Amino acid sequence: MAWITRFVTAVAFLALGVIFSPETFGSKSEGQHPPMLITLLKLAHLLCFSTAWGAALWVTFIGGIIMFKNLPRHQFGNLQSKMFPAYFSMVGVCCAVVVGAFGYLHPWKTSAAAEKYQLGFLLAAFGFNLSNLVVFTPMTIEMMKERHKIEREAEIGDEIGSTKNKEVAKKNPKLAAMNKKFGMIHGLSSLANIMSFGSLAMHSWYLASKINL
């Protein structure tokens, strides 16, 4: 997944370049943009935002819960370890494109306060997502693998929809210590994911206010 991380980082720097140096990319502060370019940027913004929003909604509140309730716990964890790097990479690229498109259409120097706040929310969504991709998810996966190894030695981990972990950990100090470390990192990862989702939710409210039905 190292190449994906580098790609997301490259897209992020491109997006920042669009925001803070719009003239370099043909953006004009007085708002005179080629109509075709405006349409393409709005389309990129809409498609990438909806993709990021929909993916975050599904993974966070629907797909993950269904898998947890219907798969053996270790199988569920192994599936998540493959899915989450791809999920955070995709959402990261989408957020970077959204930031770039929004920044081009609303140059910082000439934007109203509302647009500046929205740019802040979008940057926050990207930042929280990137922290998961680069920091929290790799750490969580590594600790999960170590915990699975300890659990297999204790002959647990195949249960579905419940766990014998806490009961066994009371008599297994090694497992109890690993649970504590895993819980902390997994909690930070979940918090970053929720904060990213919340930032996107704030932007969805802004977009809704711009729609005339």
Side-chain angles (χ1 to χ4, degrees):
M1 301 301 292
W3 72 270
I4 294 181
T5 302
R6 290 193 291 269
F7 176 73
V8 173
T9 303
V11 173
F13 278 110
L14 177 61
L16 290 175
V18 172
I19 295 170
F20 295 107
S21 299
E23 292 78 8
T24 304
F25 295 87
S27 176
K28 299 179 180 180
S29 59
E30 61 268 23
Q32 299 176 358
H33 304 278
M36 180 62 70
L37 177 60
I38 293 295
T39 300
L40 290 174
L41 288 172
K42 288 182 177 181
L43 179 63
H45 177 275
L46 180 62
L47 291 180
C48 287
F49 171 78
S50 60
T51 298
W53 166 261
L57 178 66
W58 174 263
V59 170
T60 304
F61 299 106
I62 303 173
I65 295 174
I66 293 174
M67 287 187 289
F68 177 77
K69 291 183 176 181
N70 292 277
L71 291 175
R73 191 159 54 80
H74 281 185
Q75 185 177 338
F76 165 74
N78 290 331
L79 177 60
Q80 295 284 75
S81 71
K82 303 298 183 182
M83 185 180 71
F84 271 103
Y87 160 64
F88 288 126
S89 297
M90 182 189 71
V91 174
V93 170
C94 287
C95 285
V97 172
V98 170
V99 167
F102 192 84
Y104 188 101
L105 294 170
H106 303 280
W108 183 264
K109 291 182 179 180
T110 58
S111 292
E115 279 67 40
K116 290 181 179 180
Y117 278 122
Q118 289 306 312
L119 185 58
F121 288 131
L122 293 174
L123 284 169
F126 176 77
F128 285 121
N129 187 81
L130 189 63
S131 70
N132 249 326
L133 176 64
V134 177
V135 181
F136 298 130
T137 295
M139 294 177 66
T140 300
I141 292 174
E142 186 63 30
M143 291 186 181
M144 181 202 72
K145 291 179 178 179
E146 293 181 17
R147 191 169 77 152
H148 281 188
K149 183 179 179 180
I150 298 173
E151 289 179 330
R152 283 193 296 270
E153 294 174 354
E155 299 182 346
I156 61 173
D158 293 328
E159 59 272 16
I160 298 176
S162 62
T163 177
K164 300 178 182 178
N165 179 286
K166 292 183 178 180
E167 181 180 345
V168 175
K170 294 177 181 179
K171 302 177 182 179
N172 189 328
K174 187 177 180 181
L175 179 58
M178 180 54 65
N179 284 345
K180 185 176 181 180
K181 293 180 181 179
F182 177 81
M184 180 181 67
I185 297 299
H186 185 265
L188 290 173
S189 177
S190 297
L191 178 62
N193 185 53
I194 289 295
M195 293 299 291
S196 177
F197 179 82
S199 298
L200 291 174
M202 295 299 294
H203 190 60
S204 70
W205 184 268
Y206 168 83
L207 291 179
S209 70
K210 298 297 182 180
I211 297 176
N212 293 319
L213 297 177

